[in-house]
Structures are given as C-alpha cells and as structure tokens.
Amino acid sequence: MSWRSRLILALAHMRRGIRASEFALIVLAVAIGAAAGLGTVVLGAIARTLQHWMFALPIGQRLSATDSLTWAQLAMVPVGGAVLSIFSWGVRSKRRRMVDAVEANALHGGRMSVSDSLVVSGQTLISNGFGASVGLEAAYAQMGSVIASVAGAALQLRRSDLRNLVGAGAGASIAAAFGAPLAGAFYAFEIVIGAYTPSAIAPIAAAAISAVFVSQLFGAQPYVIDSFASIPAETHHYLLFAGLGGACALIGIALMRLVATVEQGVRATPVPDWMRPILGGLLLMPIAFWSPQVLSSGHGALHMDIAVGASLGFVALVFLAKASASIVSLGFGFRGGLFFASLFLGTLIGHLFAGVLEWLAGYPVVDPHNAAMVGMAALAVAVVGGPMTMAMLVLEATQDFALTGAVLAAALVSSTIVRETFGYSFSTWRLHLRGETIKSARDIGWIRTLTVGTMMRRETRATDSTLSIAAFRQRFPLGATSRVVLVDGEQRYAGIVQTPAAYADGLDPEAPVGSIAINGDVTLSTELDIASVMKRFDASGADELAVIDGARHVIGILSESHVRRRYAEELEKAQNDLFGER
C-alpha cells in the first residue's frame, strides 16, 4: 500500500472518530490552537524584526513608543508602500476577492483559501512592518482560521463543526496575541461564529488555552496593564461610564465611515492603485514626525500614555493624529485592521472624558485610568464588535474585577447604539461596501445555496394566451389542475390563470383567457435565493410564480407554500447544528 493510500485511510479513520466523538473534536481543536499560537508568535516576530531593521530601533524598543524619528527614518513608510505595491503586483494572478474568517463562516461554511490567506497576511505584515498605522490582529486571525479551515476540510467535517473550528482558530490567535484565553474564546463566539453555541464551548476554550500556552512557551508576553487607580470604580460611576460608551459608539461609527469615505475618494481620483500606498506613506510622514505614537498598531504608545500623565490638549492632539494616521493608512491601500488602533484611541477618549468631567466639576469625578480602560473597551466594541470579548480583555489585562462591571456596562451601551444606528462592525461594513448584506458571521450560506433553480417544479404545459375562455374550459375542467401558465405567440410568459377563475360568472366565453391572467409582470429567475423569493411573494401576494429565463421563456413554477416549507426545514436544520443536535 502506497503512502498516499495510507494517508487517505488515516484521514477517513480520523474523520469517523471526530464525527462520532466530541472528545476527538476537542483534541483536534487543541492541535489547531497550538498551531495558531505558534503562527501568531512567528507573525509578530517578523513584524517587529522588520520595524527594527527599517527604523534602526534599539533592542526591545517599540516603534510607537519612540520619542522621535528623523525624516530619513520616516521615509521607510512610503518605501513600505512601494514594497506593498510590488508584493501585490507579484500576486496579482491571485487577486480575487479575499475571504476572511467572518465571511467564510457566514457564506461559505468555513471554507477558506490558503493562498488568499497568505496574501492577506503578507500584505498586513508589510504594512505593519514598515510603520503604517494598522494592527496585526487581522493577520493573526486570518492565519489561525485558515489552519482550522484546511484541517477541517481535509477531514471532511460537517459544516457546523468546520465553522466552529474556524472560530476556534481565529479566537486562539487573538488569545495568543494578548495572552487572554477568555477574550480569545469570546472573540470566536461573538465575531467569527456569530452565536454562543453550546457544542462549540469545549473546542473553542481548549484551542484558546492551547494557543496561549504555546505562545508563552515561545516567549510571548501576556498583555498586562498595571492597575493603579486612585478612585475605585463604584456603582454610581456606571451611569457616567455608560455615557462614555455612548460617546465611543458615535466616534467609532464616524471612524469607520471616514475610512470608507477616504478610500472611495482616493479610488475616484486618477491615482493608480500601485501609487496609493506610496502616497499614503508620504502623508503619514509629517504626522509621525510630530508624534511617532501614530505608527504601527500602537502597543508601546498605549502603555506609555497610560503610565505617563499628559495634558488634555496633548491627549486630544494624539487622538486626532492617531485617528488620521489610521484613516490615511487604510484609505490609501495599506492592509490591516482597526483592532488595536481602536483600543489605543479608546484609552485616549477615556482620558479626555475623565479630564473634562474634572474640569466641569472642579474635582476628580472618575479615575482617569479607569476611564481609559472603559473607553478602550467601548470604542473597540463599536469598531470590532464583541462586548464580552472586550470586557474579558480588560479583565485579563488588569485583573480588576470591580472595573469589569463598568467596562461591560459601557460596552453594552456602545454595542447597542452601533447596532441600532449603524448595524455593522468594521469587517462587515467593508463587506457591505463590496455589496454583501451580512451583518455578522451567523451562518446564512444555506440561504444563498437554496435557490429558485433547486426548488422549482419544471413546467411543460404552457398554454396559448389567445385561447378563448370557452376552449380553456373544455381543455381544463374544474379539478383537472389548479392553475395554468400562459404564453404568447412567441412562447414568452404571459401570466398565470387560476382555473376556478375561468369559471366565474359573467365572463365572455369568446374572450381570450389571457384577459384574466394574473402576475404577468411578476416572475422569478433561477439564481434568486430563498430570502429574495419570499420577499417577492410577500410583495406580490401571489400563491405561485413562474420561473423564466432571459428570453422570458417559462422553465418552471414555484409555489409560496413549498418555499415556506423548505425554509422551515432548513432553518430547523441550522438550529439543530447550532445546538449540536445531530
């Protein structure tokens, strides 16, 4: 027996074991978590090495924590834009629409492309490594989720199991990046799976813990923020922090819209695509010359700003500079996300909030450190989503249980306002701009695959619309059929006649039967999905609709009752998968 045959048999044996045993799925999730943790360490090390080489940083120095940079050093940012353009040109044959973990789970049952994920990770590494104001979290999650997707696809797992594993891989990467298994687990549930699924709790938790263990084994440090609040968070502060959450929601929405506006504006100019990152790098140089805190994701700057007090004016300027740098970076074609940028900007908003309250009241109302942590979580929730994710991140970073309640209150306020007034996170907003309608990673792929073409009944008895009503009655006596599809002389669809309607009193027997046809202007095409079909039925009030091709030739018929029944069956199946019922 060849090695290939042995591999196929081994995979088949593993597939049967995983399908039959939840414990086997957990073991697989542990392995995926370990691989995701190692991948996070490697990606982070490459990015930091690039920054140290490009900007000649001392050992252990974070780019965003640097006091100052020369113009020669800052020239590396537009150089990075050129490198990014060259890299993107080199992989241009693969430049189809890249699918991230959220879109994969929402529309494709968790299936992702390895080559696409490598391109996304490479572009993010170049952007971050050369100082653009973007984070690496998108690359971390992409690599963790594609590892899970490839492993699950190789084992031909069920759709629900594969989606859970993709969530586990992405969550494990975030857990490894921050040394925060709880935050990583909730990231998987809230951001990548789109629901809290009982069947996924154990695999996701196991993957997150495994990833943190492996990353720290290879030297990664947990994300820890010293808790030194002088005013403890008390119950009456919750209302104030809820107000901070509302402010962060509005700022987050504005930030996401500005990124999209700048990106669309740049695309509307005659500037070629390859030139956009270079131009963006040139625009970043004067901002970074004033404050290097705006460069990269901002890890070093966040710790520095929390530890060292600064005037409200300076904090406000840093906020505007960092927000502008992130908008320019993403709007001009650098690759990455706003995950850590939103954390950093949120701390600045929290400082400003505490300072303004103190200025108005004449005494410290809330502790600036506590306000910074609350703002950090609230803005991240507005931009990234996941109130529990961000609350757990703050808890694991500060170990301050009293503060976590205030953080959660602000996060829920922020999340509610964004959902009600905007409806998207940054990742789903960008998908919306591309024409997609998804608002979360909740599985709606089955809706896309359940189309008119798969549900319709083929129609072979089309009748001439010029046939008289008397002749129609002779051909179709009552009880023979419930409806008849009509066509004109060129075999084009001309409406539907309900058979009992042809026997109504007062009709002229010599009139053409086409005169009593209905729904002649309401039809279906084979590619419409079930959600669109139900909207068409609701709008028309019809019981049955004809399916036509591009030449208006009738190819089938579809009834509303059959559509509703199929939708209910698929919805019940999705619910069973959600709760792990086979």
Side-chain angles (χ1 to χ4, degrees), residues 1-49:
M1 183 181 295
S2 66
W3 67 268
R4 183 170 299 176
S5 299
R6 289 192 181 94
L7 178 61
I8 293 173
L9 289 175
L11 289 175
H13 178 72
M14 290 177 62
R15 179 171 62 252
R16 288 193 297 269
I18 292 171
R19 282 175 172 266
S21 170
E22 185 176 351
F23 177 76
L25 184 63
I26 294 172
V27 173
L28 177 60
V30 169
I32 289 171
L38 181 59
T40 298
V41 172
V42 171
L43 289 175
I46 293 173
R48 288 191 297 274
T49 300

Side-chain angles (χ1 to χ4, degrees), residues 338-557:
L338 286 173
F339 190 114
F340 201 88
S342 64
L343 295 176
F344 178 29
L345 291 171
T347 63
L348 300 176
I349 295 171
H351 276 300
L352 291 171
F353 180 79
V356 169
L357 286 182
E358 182 177 357
W359 178 74
L360 292 174
Y363 62 90
V365 179
V366 295
D367 184 83
H369 178 270
N370 286 345
M373 295 298 97
V374 173
M376 180 176 82
L379 186 63
V381 168
V383 175
V384 181
M388 288 300 298
T389 301
M390 301 309 166
M392 291 302 103
L393 180 59
V394 171
L395 173 61
E396 291 176 296
T398 64
Q399 301 296 310
D400 190 339
F401 287 89
L403 179 61
T404 303
V407 168
L408 187 56
L412 291 174
V413 169
S414 176
S415 176
T416 301
I417 292 175
V418 171
R419 284 202 316 272
E420 289 294 322
T421 61
F422 188 60
Y424 300 94
S425 65
F426 184 62
S427 59
T428 56
W429 170 239
R430 293 175 78 83
L431 292 174
H432 168 74
L433 295 175
R434 287 190 339 211
E436 295 291 353
T437 58
I438 63 174
K439 293 189 176 183
S440 73
R442 184 170 55 87
D443 188 10
I444 60 170
W446 60 271
I447 293 178
R448 300 290 182 90
T449 59
L450 201 58
T451 62
V452 170
T454 63
M455 294 186 292
M456 70 180 186
R457 299 193 307 274
R458 292 285 173 179
E459 178 60 42
T460 58
R461 297 183 58 187
T463 300
D464 192 342
S465 62
T466 61
L467 188 71
S468 69
I469 292 178
F472 181 88
R473 290 170 176 173
Q474 291 180 352
R475 185 176 301 182
F476 301 102
L478 281 172
T481 184
S482 61
R483 51 97 190 105
V484 176
V485 177
L486 304 182
V487 295
D488 61 17
E490 298 180 1
Q491 296 300 304
R492 294 177 301 189
Y493 173 67
I496 295 176
V497 171
Q498 301 290 339
T499 304
Y503 288 83
D505 295 335
L507 294 179
D508 180 5
E510 300 305 318
V513 71
S515 63
I516 60 172
I518 60 175
N519 298 322
D521 56 346
V522 183
T523 59
L524 301 173
S525 55
T526 55
E527 72 275 4
L528 286 176
D529 62 49
I530 192 168
S532 302
V533 171
M534 289 194 296
K535 291 179 181 177
R536 191 73 58 89
F537 274 113
D538 289 338
S540 65
D543 295 323
E544 293 176 308
L545 289 175
V547 184
I548 63 173
D549 60 17
R552 290 189 62 82
H553 295 155
V554 179
I555 56 177
I557 195 82

Side-chain angles (χ1 to χ4, degrees), residues 33 82 141 159 165 167 172 199-200 206 218 223 257 273 372 391 396 410 416 422 439 467 470 502 529 564:
R159 182 185 182 94
L165 281 181
S199 61
F218 282 89
Y223 187 69
R257 285 193 176 277
D273 288 349
E396 291 176 296
T416 301
F422 188 60
K439 293 189 176 183
L467 188 71
D529 62 49
R564 301 287 182 186

Side-chain angles (χ1 to χ4, degrees), residues 77-161:
V77 185
V79 168
V83 173
L84 177 62
S85 295
I86 294 171
F87 177 82
S88 300
W89 175 82
V91 296
R92 65 192 185 282
S93 61
K94 301 173 182 176
R95 284 289 301 277
R96 57 186 179 276
R97 195 173 72 180
M98 308 296 179
V99 175
D100 64 5
V102 173
E103 185 178 1
N105 263 6
L107 300 178
H108 308 295
R111 294 188 175 272
M112 299 175 67
S113 165
V114 175
S115 59
D116 286 357
S117 298
L118 290 175
V119 169
V120 169
S121 297
Q123 291 173 330
T124 306
L125 276 176
I126 293 170
S127 300
N128 182 275
F130 281 85
S133 186
V134 295
L136 283 172
E137 288 75 20
Y140 295 154
Q142 188 79 17
M143 291 308 295
S145 56
V146 78
I147 289 170
S149 180
V150 169
L155 294 170
Q156 298 179 1
L157 299 184
R158 300 181 184 92
R159 182 185 182 94
S160 59
D161 289 337

